[in-house]
Amino acid sequence: MTGASAWSVALVGMEGAMVEVEAATGGGLPRTVLVGLPDTALYEARDRCRASVAAAGLGWPSQLLTINLTPASLPKAGTHFDLAIAAATLASVGVVHRTLLGSTVLMGELGLDSRVRAVRGVLPALLAARSAGFERAVVPASQYREAALVKGLTIWPVTGLKDLVAVLNGCSLLMPPAQSEHPTEEIEDGGGDLDEVIGQQEARFALEVAAAGRHHLLLRGAPGCGKSMIAARLPTILPALIEQEALEVTALHSLAGTNPAGGLITRPPLSAPHHNVSMAAMVGGGPRIARPGAISLAHRGVLFLDEAPEFPPRVLDALRGPLETGTVTIGRSQAQTRYPARFQLVTALNPCPCGMADDPSGRCTCTPQAVMRYAARLSGPILDRVDVHQRMRPLTSAALLGSRIMPAAESSSTVAARVADARQRAAARLAETPWRTNADIPGSYLRRSLPAPSDAEVLEEALARGRLSARGVDKVLRIAWTLADLAGTDRIGASQLRAAMALRRAET
């Protein structure tokens, strides 16, 4: 028997494991056998690769061909193994040299016409290959921009199987496509601007506080008052992602196939699933190896739940763990998958089923029992994890008609500058700790290591009257520190405590 091998990557969550694709010919009747725990899409690769090789005018082995994906105990899924299977097979029959295959990782799906098509997960796969010591990578030409984000690897983009044969045989004529001349160009978001929001000064301030301290936010108000518009603009006032965070977020979206441009995502993402979302779509799922869900796609950004009471209770309760740990772990029959999910939660809801409870015209037709049942759809543990509660009032005709003559509202860039300054103050205060934002500070450190409030009588009075629980004290202190950071002070006083309590209380 004669054989050869090539290398690809098996992805289990964000982790990549190197897979050696071995191809051996001879020893039996003419057929192709694929072993090594492939899923359905991968098992069909033997037929795709054979048709693709024929379309390129190359010869497929006419005797028994055994393809082994090792380690055999590791589950493997996806179509990105096609290029490695084709390369190992062609090397086993002498069509391509074996010299470069030992230090080259191959990613790409083959079409029946021998074209190389894009696949998911190129970025995390190549990061794993670089860590494993590989020097080169062959990827679909359409994904050169994404692959070039991995520094330290020589990237060879190919458009078809003939290109693959040429480059493995030492041809250096291939060049990156014209549209990929700037592979690391940053991807900006298009979430609108905060100056488009009419009125709602209290809600704008609550949004700024939430951004400065990375606090979770709840917006309650009648339909049309601007809840969704304000929530969608939160990413526009958040600080840009640092390089490591940007790579992590881009890798997640590469796995999910939600970054077709392939560039580096430098702005905090916004994930806004519909309220009929399934559990698998929210937290991640799949039959064998789970894919990232909406909460992971909001990693380092914002998860916005519009009409939050309409979400299934099981789906909402599934957020409790990720809100605390910043990760989500999904167990499947063949693999346990872990994805990062450190997001900022923003929920929006109406005050009642018809939404008109806050309307001064008195058009609400809901009974008190119906209003209570509607509010109870958000469980106590979820509400307890939301720091800032903001009630939004319906817009008046004066605010709507006077928007042409009133001074323009502050833009996202203006607010973002204040948020960035507040984040820097918090980071400097927490420089000796693993935390960087006020929302992340545990209660023990908050009470013992940070300066005590200059006037704690406000908290004592609220505790004595039952307006604040012991757990609520920590949340008020976190918000108060954020208010102090926005104000540029190093201590929290009575004014910050009162304002924090107002932002914390749901009836505000």
Side-chain angles (χ1 to χ4, degrees):
M1 295 181 67
T2 60
S5 63
W7 290 90
S8 192
V9 183
L11 291 168
V12 181
M14 294 284 287
E15 302 297 322
M18 302 310 301
V19 173
E20 186 177 10
V21 180
E22 301 173 307
T25 58
L29 297 174
R31 60 192 179 109
T32 301
V33 178
L34 180 61
V35 295
L37 282 184
D39 71 343
T40 302
L42 178 51
Y43 188 74
E44 293 171 349
R46 56 179 187 170
D47 300 319
R48 284 195 306 272
C49 292
R50 182 168 53 208
S52 181
V53 167
L58 305 171
W60 190 262
S62 57
Q63 61 268 50
L64 173 65
L65 172 63
T66 303
I67 301 169
N68 179 41
L69 309 175
T70 185
S73 59
L74 179 71
K76 305 163 191 74
T79 60
H80 62 272
F81 292 93
D82 287 8
L83 274 188
I85 291 173
T89 301
L90 294 174
S92 69
V93 294
V95 175
V96 299
H97 300 316
R98 308 179 189 186
T99 308
L100 299 176
L101 286 178
S103 57
T104 304
V105 63
L106 298 102
M107 298 281 294
E109 176 186 337
L110 285 172
L112 300 185
D113 55 357
S114 81
R115 286 184 299 174
V116 179
R117 295 173 176 169
V119 293
R120 295 182 180 184
V122 165
L123 180 56
L126 296 192
L127 289 172
R130 183 183 64 181
S131 299
F134 282 78
E135 302 171 359
R136 289 171 292 274
V138 177
V139 300
S142 60
Q143 293 182 286
Y144 172 76
R145 186 184 188 194
E146 177 181 343
L149 296 175
V150 183
K151 306 303 181 184
L153 277 181
T154 300
I155 307 300
W156 288 336
V158 294
T159 58
L161 195 55
K162 289 184 177 180
D163 292 343
L164 174 66
V165 172
V167 79
L168 291 179
N169 282 333
C171 176
S172 59
L173 298 178
L174 294 178
M175 296 296 291
Q179 66 269 24
S180 301
E181 291 177 357
H182 304 286
T184 58
E185 181 181 350
E186 299 174 351
I187 301 297
E188 298 292 341
D189 69 303
D193 198 281
L194 201 56
D195 61 10
E196 299 169 354
V197 178
I198 299 174
Q200 300 294 2
Q201 294 303 317
E202 293 180 353
R204 290 171 60 96
F205 179 68
L207 191 77
E208 182 175 341
V209 173
R214 210 186 74 81
H215 302 290
H216 303 307
L217 173 66
L218 182 145
L219 300 172
R220 186 192 306 266
C225 67
K227 303 187 297 294
S228 301
M229 175 178 274
I230 285 182
R233 279 146 183 78
L234 176 55
T236 68
I237 64 174
L238 294 175
L241 303 175
I242 62 175
E243 183 178 2
Q244 184 58 38
E245 294 173 343
L247 278 174
E248 191 177 33
V249 170
T250 307
L252 273 168
H253 285 260
S254 173
L255 275 172
T258 55
N259 184 26
L264 187 66
I265 299 175
T266 60
R267 296 296 310 166
L270 172 67
S271 179
H274 191 263
H275 58 72
N276 67 354
V277 65
S278 66
M279 178 72 78
M282 178 66 84
V283 303
R288 284 161 52 99
I289 300 176
R291 297 291 183 185
I295 63 174
S296 292
L297 297 182
H299 181 58
R300 304 291 182 187
V302 178
L303 176 68
F304 175 43
L305 304 184
D306 200 6
E307 305 294 344
E310 302 297 334
F311 282 76
R314 286 182 62 251
V315 172
L316 290 176
D317 287 338
L319 301 179
R320 292 160 58 177
L323 283 172
E324 291 292 332
T325 64
T327 61
V328 57
T329 302
I330 309 163
R332 287 296 181 266
S333 60
Q334 295 188 355
Q336 189 176 62
T337 308
R338 177 174 296 174
Y339 289 112
R342 188 165 296 281
F343 55 86
Q344 190 170 352
L345 177 65
V346 180
T347 58
L349 63 153
N350 295 329
C352 66
C354 75
M356 306 307 296
D358 289 342
D359 196 307
S361 64
R363 290 183 291 169
C364 178
T365 59
C366 301
T367 64
Q369 294 79 7
V371 175
M372 292 179 63
R373 284 195 300 269
Y374 185 77
R377 292 183 183 178
L378 283 179
S379 66
I382 291 294
L383 288 175
D384 190 54
R385 286 165 170 79
V386 178
D387 293 339
V388 179
H389 297 248
Q390 180 62 44
R391 184 179 291 274
M392 298 176 61
R393 306 298 179 183
L395 289 172
T396 63
S397 59
L400 291 170
L401 298 178
S403 60
R404 297 182 179 179
I405 58 175
M406 294 293 290
E410 287 185 317
S411 66
S412 291
S413 59
T414 301
V415 178
R418 292 199 297 267
V419 169
D421 290 342
R423 288 274 186 113
Q424 289 175 2
R425 293 184 67 88
R429 184 172 61 251
L430 302 171
E432 303 299 323
T433 74
W435 314 292
R436 290 296 175 265
T437 59
N438 294 317
D440 298 328
I441 305 174
S444 58
Y445 186 88
L446 191 70
R447 294 185 299 272
R448 299 174 186 173
S449 303
L450 293 182
S454 58
D455 186 358
E457 294 180 0
V458 176
L459 292 178
E460 294 174 359
E461 181 184 355
L463 278 169
R465 295 187 176 185
R467 296 170 56 193
L468 200 62
S469 66
R471 180 179 294 179
V473 170
D474 289 347
K475 294 186 177 297
V476 167
L477 288 174
R478 292 187 185 101
I479 300 172
W481 273 113
T482 299
L483 292 169
D485 291 334
L486 286 169
T489 63
D490 296 325
R491 296 290 295 268
I492 54 177
S495 60
Q496 282 86 20
L497 290 174
R498 290 191 179 95
M501 289 178 60
L503 288 167
R504 168 66 185 158
R505 293 175 58 198
E507 53 274 354
T508 300

